[in-house]
Amino acid sequence: MVKNIAIGTGRRKTAVARVFVRDGSGKIVVNGKDVKDYFSSAEQVQVVNQPLLVTSMGNKYDIVINVTGGGLNGQAAACLHGISRALVQIDPDARTSLKANGYLTRDSRMVERKKYGQRGARRRFQFSKR
């Protein structure tokens, strides 16, 4: 059985990522696929790898992520948040560099709800004088 060293939960918009950090060689698996196969763009892959580059723990641990909800960009940001939280559990000294880059802060911006009698959250129907 594989033992998890640390567990972190990351959130962004409606995406939630459960991150499990294990001893290994730096492989990242998202929902059973390799990180490069799961996320379509290189920017999203780079976002997921960011906390590992900042703390220089890139090839020490294997990371398994289960992510649900939202779109791919929100899921990538949720993975970043979860990995950062898990790395702080492993090495409390890494907290300063992760916090300085803003990776431990949950991005609380959400989609504004649509109001009744309107076309969108803020967009009104076209006004007609006559």
Side-chain angles (χ1 to χ4, degrees):
M1 185 177 150
V2 183
K3 186 158 181 351
N4 294 326
I5 300 171
I7 299 171
T9 306
R11 294 185 186 89
R12 171 73 174 100
K13 291 189 177 181
T14 56
V16 180
R18 290 181 299 157
V19 177
F20 305 96
V21 180
R22 303 166 176 170
D23 278 322
S25 58
K27 207 167 84 174
I28 301 176
V29 177
V30 183
N31 289 354
K33 294 181 182 177
D34 185 60
V35 68
K36 290 183 180 79
D37 296 333
Y38 186 80
F39 290 112
S40 53
S41 73
E43 288 84 28
Q44 292 166 344
V45 175
Q46 190 179 353
V47 164
V48 173
N49 286 322
Q50 215 69 43
L52 297 168
L53 296 172
V54 168
T55 55
S56 63
M57 294 184 187
N59 48 12
K60 287 185 185 175
Y61 305 108
D62 282 348
I63 298 173
V64 177
I65 305 171
N66 294 331
V67 63
T68 57
L72 287 177
N73 278 324
Q75 287 186 352
C79 292
L80 172 134
H81 189 221
I83 291 170
S84 301
R85 283 177 147 189
L87 291 177
V88 168
Q89 285 181 9
I90 296 168
D91 181 19
D93 299 333
R95 184 178 180 84
T96 52
S97 60
L98 289 170
K99 194 151 178 73
N101 286 296
Y103 298 154
L104 294 175
T105 308
R106 190 236 195 263
D107 195 340
S108 60
R109 293 176 297 172
M110 297 289 280
V111 176
E112 191 174 331
R113 78 174 187 87
K114 184 197 168 297
K115 281 77 170 186
Y116 57 87
Q118 291 179 210
R119 242 176 58 178
R122 299 195 176 182
R123 178 81 167 92
R124 308 288 205 260
F125 287 111
Q126 189 169 352
F127 174 73
S128 171
K129 198 169 196 177
R130 284 173 196 88

